[in-house]
Structures are given as structure tokens and as C-alpha cells.
Amino acid sequence: HTTKDVPLSDANTRAACDEARDQEIEIFTIAYGPSIHWNSGELVLQDCASSPEHFFDADYTGELMESFNQILKALVPLRLDS
């Protein structure tokens, strides 16, 4: 999108997050890339996440992959079979 529609995009994202939260859906968010810090996107994603632990900040691909691994660990608890 362009910078002109950022406020509308932010409002739509916040509305979708509120709706999901109202339905008790667990929300993980990832702010990816340095450009996310230049506008309100990172703050919107922080606010959307279910908790501070559900928000990840990834500036490059390695951090993005680590963020997905952390989310996977949170969603799929370690199970040891005896």
C-alpha cells in the first residue's frame, strides 16, 4: 500500500484484531524488515498481539525464521513419549 492509505490500513488491522480478540483467538504478530519501523506498523502489530510475548520484531530473514520457530514452540508444546 502507499503512505496515503496507512491510517485506513492501521484502522482496518486494529478492527480485525479486536474482532479476533473478542472471539478469544490467540494472535501472534511479526514486524518484519526495517521499513516497518518508519511508520505506525510496528505499534499496530504490538497492540494486535495477544500479549507482549506474542509480538516479534525481525529485521532480517534469520530473525524472521527464529520468530516463526518461537511461535511454533508456543503452539505445539514439547511432547516426550516414553
Side-chain angles (χ1 to χ4, degrees), residues 37-74:
H37 306 294
W38 299 340
N39 58 44
S40 58
E42 182 176 14
L43 181 58
V44 171
L45 293 173
Q46 286 175 333
D47 291 346
C48 184
S50 293
S51 74
E53 292 78 26
H54 286 75
F55 169 76
F56 297 87
D57 187 8
D59 287 331
Y60 58 89
T61 305
E63 288 179 338
L64 180 63
M65 296 306 296
E66 180 58 29
S67 297
F68 280 118
N69 285 332
Q70 292 296 325
I71 293 169
L72 180 63
K73 288 177 186 175

